[in-house]
Amino acid sequence: LPTRAGSSLEPEEHSMEPPAVPEEEMPLTAVPGPAGCQLFGYVGIEAVLDQMKIKTMKTGFEFNIMVVGQSGLGKSTMVNTLFKSKVSRKASQPSQEERIPKTVQLQSVTHVIEEKGVKMKLTVTDTPGFGDQINNENCWDPIIKYINEQYERYLREEILITRKRKIPDTRVHGCVYFVPPTGHWLRPLDLEFMRRLSKIVNVVPVIAKADTLTLEERAEFKQRIQEDLKTHAISVYPQEDFDQDPDDRVLNDRIREKIPFAVVGADQEHQVNGKRVLGRKTKWGIIEVENPAHCEFPLLRDLLIRSHLQDLKDITHNVHYESYRVRRLNESNGP
């Protein structure tokens, strides 16, 4: 009889030789090797990382971000501060007179920005008119419609018989939601927006213009927001359900303790101790945007760009877009 997996490989005394099987009929089975097989010399497997880097630098990548909040909360300034360039809607159309629209309008601006040879096609989507009316009922509907339209556009390209080699990606990878610095609890509008949008996109809440609050007020407001999110079962990014391993969970737990980030935006430089720093000048001093002791803008930048940018894209593709795709295909295949 053939030996079972895990049994001794030494032949028994009375074992019979199995009949020879012709070479063509031999089953092709993979023999599992020991985990973490040790190499006897340099093979060059690590070179695949260089290949991926070179390919990414040649083709570039796409990142789409949406900013949502009432007028006057510093959304455009924050986006410009985030990417250290004039990428916001207002910066692209400076001559346009700013009026509060009667309904929520979505306007996207696309730029190609380059740093150290890496190209990024950045699309910033603004939502002027959100939360500015007396009656804000269903003001999130145009935003939900826009996000789903981008999923639909990607799905239509994907199910074509002859597909493009690289499908243009206009899906929203992250939505930064600006909470007004009231110092109280979240408003019903904030709760309803985040409850609905967190199911279809990565929502990152931030406390806008945090320099209008004292440090004690800021800490209390942040704690109240965290309690509100927990009470209403709103899962903002980074979501606990999508942590891949213990290391990710430890890192993301530290981020979740800080959310929502209390941020201050500024697009002007000032002289501080002989150095040029981005900040806001007040009669009490200069609020340095990139100083963690002054505000949490560096944490937001690290989350969106330096540490979790690829994760935002992966969750958008593997979770939010996937659930939309399954729903749409079920609808089309249904009776």
Side-chain angles (χ1 to χ4, degrees), residues 78 178 206-211 261-265 295-297 300:
M78 176 56 60
F178 287 70
V206 298
I207 299 170
K209 295 197 170 180
D211 53 326
F261 300 124
V263 297
V264 178
C295 78
E296 294 174 335
F297 170 78
L300 175 66

Side-chain angles (χ1 to χ4, degrees), residues 111-331:
H111 302 270
V112 176
I113 55 180
E114 187 174 346
E115 184 180 38
K116 293 185 179 178
V118 180
K119 290 179 185 175
M120 180 169 76
K121 186 181 177 185
L122 172 70
T123 302
V124 180
T125 305
D126 199 357
T127 54
F130 177 85
D132 291 333
Q133 313 303 322
I134 295 172
N135 180 8
N136 289 305
E137 189 178 4
N138 298 331
C139 63
W140 46 77
D141 283 350
I143 298 171
I144 293 173
K145 184 184 174 189
Y146 175 84
I147 292 170
N148 285 332
E149 278 173 359
Q150 309 318 307
Y151 289 151
E152 181 68 26
R153 185 181 293 183
Y154 194 90
L155 177 63
R156 291 193 179 193
E157 289 285 348
E158 201 178 43
I159 61 177
L160 289 173
I161 295 172
T162 309
R163 295 192 294 185
K164 293 176 182 174
R165 192 170 178 183
K166 186 181 179 186
I167 299 173
D169 190 3
T170 58
R171 298 169 297 180
V172 178
H173 300 127
C175 172
V176 182
Y177 185 72
F178 287 70
V179 178
T182 59
H184 303 296
W185 297 88
L186 285 175
R187 303 168 302 167
L189 172 64
D190 304 326
L191 288 168
E192 193 61 24
F193 176 87
M194 286 193 273
R195 187 182 69 80
R196 289 170 182 264
L197 267 290
S198 60
K199 294 173 184 174
I200 62 168
V201 73
N202 298 312
V203 177
V204 181
V206 298
I207 299 170
K209 295 197 170 180
D211 53 326
T212 59
L213 301 170
T214 65
L215 293 177
E216 292 79 12
E217 288 171 340
R218 196 173 84 179
E220 285 177 19
F221 189 35
K222 183 178 286 203
Q223 192 174 356
R224 286 173 183 165
I225 291 174
Q226 289 173 351
E227 287 174 20
D228 261 347
L229 294 175
K230 197 173 181 181
T231 304
H232 293 86
I234 296 170
S235 180
V236 295
Y237 184 84
Q239 302 93 331
E240 283 188 49
D241 300 342
F242 306 145
D243 290 342
Q244 304 250 338
D245 53 51
D247 292 338
D248 285 349
R249 185 169 289 275
V250 169
L251 172 64
N252 290 341
D253 279 342
R254 285 206 299 268
I255 295 169
R256 281 187 280 265
E257 286 172 9
K258 299 279 187 182
I259 279 181
F261 300 124
V263 297
V264 178
D267 46 15
Q268 291 184 352
E269 287 187 336
H270 299 278
Q271 194 88 12
V272 178
N273 297 330
K275 292 182 181 177
R276 302 289 293 175
V277 296
L278 275 173
R280 286 170 56 90
K281 192 173 184 179
T282 67
K283 55 183 172 183
W284 298 280
I286 293 171
I287 300 160
E288 297 174 37
V289 168
E290 294 179 311
N291 187 342
H294 291 193
C295 78
E296 294 174 335
F297 170 78
L299 298 177
L300 175 66
R301 182 187 55 202
D302 290 352
L303 177 73
L304 290 179
I305 301 172
R306 297 186 181 178
S307 63
H308 284 67
L309 188 146
Q310 189 57 47
D311 189 55
L312 283 162
K313 295 182 70 171
D314 291 343
I315 289 178
T316 299
H317 182 75
N318 298 326
V319 178
H320 298 305
Y321 168 69
E322 191 66 21
S323 62
Y324 178 85
R325 190 184 71 87
V326 168
R327 189 173 75 248
R328 285 287 289 115
L329 294 180
N330 281 336
E331 285 172 7

